Every structure is written in C-alpha cells, then in structure tokens.
Amino acid sequence: MARVKPQIQIMTITSIEDADKALQELCELSREIDLINLDGQDRIDAIKADMQAKALPVTQRKEILEASLTAFSLGNKKELFTKEKSKILNFGTIGFRSSTKLKTASKIKWEQVLEKLKEKSLVDYIRTKDEVDKEKLKKADSNLLTEVGCQIITEDVFFYELDKEKVQV
C-alpha cells in the first residue's frame, strides 16, 4: 500500500482579533497538554514507588547475600584461592580479579593534577573535546566561512509567546 502524507488543515486568520483568539486557544490547549503530562508523570511516579516498595525486601536480601559472600571469600581467601583467582560453583563463580585504579595523593585534588599537567605541557594526559564554536564562527569573515564549508543564512522565523496567566482554568 502506498504511503499517504497527511495534510494539515489550517484555519483562516484574517484579523488581529482572530490571531488573539488563536493565541487564547493555544494557551488553553497548552494548559490541557500540561495537565495530561502531569497526570501521566504522577502515574509513572506512583508505579515506580510501588515497584520500589515491592522490591525493597528482595533488594535488601540481595545486598545481605552479596556482603556475606564477600566476607566469606575474604575470610577464606588463602584456602580457597591459592592456585586460581576464582572458584566455579554450581550456581555461579566467586573470586578476585585484579583492579587498577588511579587515585590522587593525600590532600591533592584532581583539579590540582590537571593544573600540574598543564604547567608541564603534558597535554597527552588531558582529555579535550573538539567541537565547532558556532557562535564564534558566525562572526568570522565570509572568506574563512567559504574555506571551511559554511555560510551565514539570515531568515525571519515566526514565533509566538503565550500569556498563560490570562487564560482562566
């Protein structure tokens, strides 16, 4: 079956009074949409709270079992993990894996580390995000814009602002 593009019907606005009535109706419709979304969000929040309450005893039991397995494994590390770093059991595996993390020295903050790296010009150890500064590029001359494949387009774009306080609920 061929696709059909739906046609949007528009109403004819012939005067400033008609435009004001359209804005009034937009205010009312916007308010109605806000109320619908608010009701939906309230329902979602209630469902999440209900699910969280139902899951609480299960989550607590899970945390207890995880802590117990950790304590057991740490307490019996020398006996259980002499040759290998993990033990395969019937319902899963317990063990230890090497984990390397980078921490700052005592009383040193990451901001200080960043400054020291900059001072020493060690930019290989600093992440930077490359992205186009569009606001600055808008101010560049036309030759540069052409060189980099950009152009400035100026157009009048219609807008409207609703004064929702003036519409009665």
Side-chain angles (χ1 to χ4, degrees), residues 85-154:
K85 292 185 144 253
S86 60
K87 275 272 190 231
I88 298 173
L89 306 176
N90 291 329
F91 296 100
T93 305
I94 59 173
F96 294 90
R97 65 172 61 108
S98 294
S99 174
T100 305
K101 57 178 146 178
L102 183 63
K103 291 175 59 176
T104 60
S106 179
K107 298 183 182 181
I108 301 286
K109 298 198 181 317
W110 284 110
E111 292 80 17
Q112 294 169 298
V113 173
L114 179 60
E115 287 305 314
K116 287 181 183 180
L117 288 170
K118 286 179 181 178
E119 285 172 15
K120 297 179 181 294
S121 299
L122 296 171
V123 293
D124 289 347
Y125 300 102
I126 301 173
R127 276 193 219 141
T128 57
K129 180 179 178 185
D130 288 337
E131 62 183 0
V132 176
D133 185 349
K134 294 178 185 176
E135 291 304 312
K136 193 170 183 179
L137 198 55
K138 278 184 193 177
K139 297 172 187 169
D141 67 17
S142 59
N143 291 334
L144 176 63
L145 292 173
T146 304
E147 283 181 42
V148 298
C150 292
Q151 59 183 333
I152 301 286
I153 300 190
T154 304

Side-chain angles (χ1 to χ4, degrees), residues 35-53:
L35 289 173
I36 290 168
N37 288 337
L38 187 61
D39 179 52
Q41 192 59 52
D42 287 345
R43 290 181 188 188
I44 290 169
D45 291 344
I47 290 169
K48 283 182 178 180
D50 182 49
M51 289 173 47
Q52 198 170 25

Side-chain angles (χ1 to χ4, degrees), residues 51-64:
M51 289 173 47
Q52 198 170 25
K54 286 179 182 176
L56 183 62
V58 177
T59 303
Q60 289 173 334
R61 178 69 179 152
K62 181 178 175 249
E63 289 171 356
I64 290 169

Side-chain angles (χ1 to χ4, degrees), residues 154-165:
T154 304
E155 56 186 10
D156 282 336
V157 179
F158 175 76
F159 77 95
Y160 67 90
E161 293 177 5
L162 300 176
D163 194 354
K164 294 180 181 181
E165 290 79 32

